[in-house]
């Protein structure tokens, strides 16, 4: 039998392909965050309090599919005492 609602698999696959450049960075940020959270024994709720956002937003970030602003990345760096972006930019 055919399901009542069509699968969104194809749409999601196209979206992932179109956004793969920044998604890779988002996944790397999520992995670094998870590692540091594990090192500190930090919950999503506790991190959300440090960041001044909701636990639901932290959960979205940790899924590695959130297009993060530089401001948010800086807040994550401060909250977890980690470096995600190099602070040295070379002017070309």
């Amino acid at each position: 039998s055919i399901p009542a609602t069509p699968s969104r698999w194809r749409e999601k696959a196209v979206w992932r392909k179109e956004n793969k450049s920044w998604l890779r960075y988002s996944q790397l940020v999520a992995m670094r965050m998870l590692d540091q959270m594990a090192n500190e024994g930090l919950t999503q709720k506790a991190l959300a309090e440090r960041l001044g956002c909701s636990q639901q937003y932290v959960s979205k970030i940790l899924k590695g599919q959130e297009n993060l602003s530089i401001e948010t990345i800086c807040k994550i760096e401060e909250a977890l005492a980690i470096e995600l972006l190099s602070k040295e930019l070379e002017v070309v």
Side-chain angles (χ1 to χ4, degrees):
S1 84
I2 298 173
T5 55
S7 169
R8 296 194 53 205
W9 179 89
R10 185 175 303 279
E11 289 174 44
K12 289 178 183 178
V14 168
W15 181 85
R16 282 191 305 272
K17 185 175 182 182
E18 290 173 348
N19 294 285
K20 72 179 180 180
S21 58
W22 67 262
L23 276 170
R24 178 78 178 124
Y25 288 111
S26 183
Q27 292 163 356
L28 290 170
V29 167
M31 288 188 292
R32 293 276 313 279
M33 289 175 67
L34 286 165
D35 286 345
Q36 188 62 22
M37 289 170 67
N39 289 342
E40 292 187 36
L42 200 62
T43 64
Q44 288 184 16
K45 184 178 183 207
L47 179 57
E49 289 171 6
R50 288 186 188 181
L51 292 171
C53 68
S54 69
Q55 183 272 324
Q56 291 83 359
Y57 185 60
V58 170
S59 177
K60 282 180 72 173
I61 295 170
L62 294 175
K63 289 179 183 172
Q65 295 188 344
E66 193 65 17
N67 191 353
L68 301 167
S69 69
I70 292 173
E71 178 184 8
T72 300
I73 291 170
C74 288
K75 286 179 180 179
I76 292 167
E77 288 180 326
E78 290 173 9
L80 293 174
I82 58 175
E83 184 176 63
L84 297 169
L85 294 176
S86 172
K87 302 296 188 264
E88 297 179 26
L89 292 176
E90 187 176 321
V91 179
V92 290

